[in-house]
Amino acid sequence: MSDKQSRQFRPLPVPNVELAGLFGDRQDAICNSTAATLLDRCVEAGMIKAIDVDQPSPGIVIPQKSMSPTMPATEQKAMVSTQMFWDSDLGKSIETIAYSLYRRRNPELEARADAIIDMYEKMQDEDGYLNAWFQRVHPDRRWTNLRDHHELYCAGHLIEAAVAYYQATGKRKLLDIMSRFADYMITVFGHGEGQLRGYCGHEEIELALVKLARATGNKTYLDLAKYFIDERGTQPHYFDTEARRDGRDPQNYLFGTYEYNQAHQPVRDQTKVVGHAVRAMYLYSGMADIATEYNDDTLTSALETLWDDLTTKQMYVTGGIGPAASNEGFTDYYDLPNESAYAETCASVGLVFWANRMLGRGPNRRYADIMEVALYNGAMAGLSQDGKTFFYENPLESAGRHHRWTWHHCPCCPPNIARLLASVGSYMYAAADNEIAVHLYGESKARVPLANGVTVTLSQTTRYPWDGAIRFEVNPDRAARFALSLRIPEWAEGATLAVNGTPVDLATVTVDGYARIERDWRAGDSVDLTLPLIPRALFANPKVRQDAGRAALMRGPLVYCVETTDNGHDLNGISLSSNPASAKTTEIAALEGAVALDVAVTRETADWGADLYRTAPPKGIPSTARFVPYHLWDNREPGEMLVWLRADQMQRGA
């Protein structure tokens, strides 16, 4: 195995990175509003009562429903309620609180989280089992329907919360609680006599166990994560086996195909991204973690195939994925409708997770570029500027009726985008034994311990993504030799690099899209990277019928859109008529100084009259349209929004 194949890059712990700039603003909003808002709304929903054993069980608060419109009424055991997932919502909320506490101490919020953790400690069974639904509502149904009932999924989110809370506060209570649960799982699942050969219908536990192993140093948690991945989709199919054992018909389940939860084949045999988008992203994230920890080329190879399938045939320009509401997931190749796009916030969050973990075996631009696009556009759109309202679905076109909401009957997205943005520093940097990789740019300071005992303080000064000038101050605590790898995005034509003021030829140092600078570093060394942020038009593959004759605008990693508040109504009457590289830039005070683009366009005149149809086409006049970053839409006045604009004149002039 080559050195490159055996490299293991792991993200920095969240407390090791301090953020300012755009990400810092988002984290401030989470500290000011979102963290407490999430907890308040969990309380309002009844989630705290559900785990408080000093109160009577609340019973079924949210009615159960069939998992399939064709399922017979007799299949009661396969019915679900979103109440089953409440532990996951509390887990993600505690995780968000943990990250917010690291940035800004909040004794009141910490005390509220501690009280919830105390309730979980009191509720935990002697054997370590922990799940509010199956302890307080249906204690007779434990481990009887892994396919539908999310037991391991909920455990995974509580594990991630436990690791985050320990790292942020130093408090071990939740970490010990979830370690006991994981220890119990090791006895329940496996190939031994009396063990269940099962895995969760909604993946999540896999990546959570890797986090737990890294935090505790207990490799048995890695082994359990690997077991869940290796077992998935094998025959005889566990979901069929458990259904028969439970007296259920194995044929009666959601969508009638195990592609829905990526259990239709062993994971190494899968070549097409299918099913529920969030489940797929969580599975691939866990697979990538295990590939890194075990240097497993078979998993890496399968993931590379799946990555290409997703990013070349099934992904929106925003990094949104999963176009259909019906299965919250994937449909056919090149089926990417704009106004009806589901593109769940959680799915883009999951794509960021997966992309980041694909970097575990070494920096590679093909993953980091997509991670950046999904983060800035598909995911970050899900949280308002003030941190109080949320998007579940993320269409690329709106007639003015799509707006953020305060909560949801299945509130998975608010804490998911909040925990991602609150921990985004760990996605920016990664470290191997003697190498630091910088995947994302933004005003920040990172403390990076290396294998040789050296700790490097890496300070990044920049206004990115609004400005492409980036300066690094490199300060090892003693002189040392190591490599610093900086991503050069594919779009960054004309990028320049200098070390201590001396230009570096990027062509000679770039490996897999990263400029790799290996040298003897001393305190006070500096690196200057310039990424030209030239507005550009993107055209879709002609097979994407919904975008035929249209173009989208990007500047750096940001997708741009037009809104009514800047451009008036009838946005579909706007046509791009020139190269957007010459667009003028303007900072929008109402959007915290975000850079808008003023672009020359042609606009249809409003003199059509009352006729629905006529023989003469509408007249067009030269005009200017203002484009704003897609992730900031619907933060001002409500109205229409459009990402893909007509571009017939651009194409004729090409």
Side-chain angles (χ1 to χ4, degrees), residues 75 144-148 197-199 233-254 256-258 261 263-264:
E75 288 288 311
T144 58
N145 187 350
L146 295 178
R147 185 190 68 196
D148 302 323
R197 295 192 60 167
Y199 43 86
T234 59
Q235 297 295 331
H237 204 291
Y238 180 76
F239 292 161
D240 292 344
T241 301
E242 75 167 3
R244 294 188 188 98
R245 185 172 60 238
D246 196 33
R248 293 182 279 114
D249 183 348
Q251 302 303 311
N252 287 328
Y253 60 94
L254 190 59
T257 169
Y258 288 134
N261 44 33
H264 56 298

Side-chain angles (χ1 to χ4, degrees), residues 152-153 155-157 159-160 185 198-213 221-232 261 267 279-290 293 357:
L152 291 168
Y153 167 85
H157 279 303
I159 287 172
E160 292 197 81
M185 289 180 210
Y199 43 86
C200 196
H202 194 314
E203 304 92 327
E204 215 284 331
I205 186 65
E206 299 85 354
L207 59 93
L209 286 167
V210 173
K211 279 191 178 180
L212 185 62
Y221 302 145
L222 287 180
D223 295 336
L224 182 58
K226 186 176 186 300
Y227 160 80
F228 285 135
I229 286 167
D230 291 343
E231 195 67 22
R232 191 170 207 86
N261 44 33
V267 297
R279 300 181 196 221
M281 296 303 103
Y282 286 180
L283 170 63
Y284 307 152
S285 297
M287 289 168 62
D289 270 341
I290 293 300
E293 294 295 338
R357 286 160 172 82

Side-chain angles (χ1 to χ4, degrees), residues 10-20 22-24 26-27 30 99 102-103 167 352 356 371 375-376 417-431 436-448 458 460:
R10 297 183 178 93
L12 295 186
V14 173
N16 284 41
V17 184
E18 300 172 17
L19 291 171
L22 174 59
F23 289 143
R26 295 278 63 74
Q27 290 190 341
I30 290 167
Y99 300 140
Y102 173 72
R103 184 171 181 87
Q167 289 181 341
V352 174
N356 183 253
M371 175 171 72
L375 170 64
Y376 274 113
I417 182 56
R419 70 180 180 132
L420 170 61
L421 291 176
S423 63
V424 73
S426 68
Y427 295 81
M428 297 174 70
Y429 302 93
I436 301 169
V438 183
H439 302 313
L440 300 171
Y441 300 112
E443 184 90 10
S444 56
K445 180 184 288 187
R447 294 182 302 282
V448 189
L458 192 63
Q460 192 179 158

Side-chain angles (χ1 to χ4, degrees), residues 316 318 320 322-323 337-345 377-378 381 391-403 561 630 633 641-644:
Y316 284 99
T318 56
N338 293 310
E339 190 168 14
S340 64
Y342 197 67
E344 184 181 343
T345 297
N377 304 290
F391 277 145
Y392 196 105
E393 305 97 335
N394 291 279
L396 282 74
E397 177 177 351
S398 171
R401 292 183 292 273
H402 186 77
H403 306 292
C561 67
Y630 170 79
W633 85 275
M641 181 277 295
L642 193 60
V643 169
W644 288 95

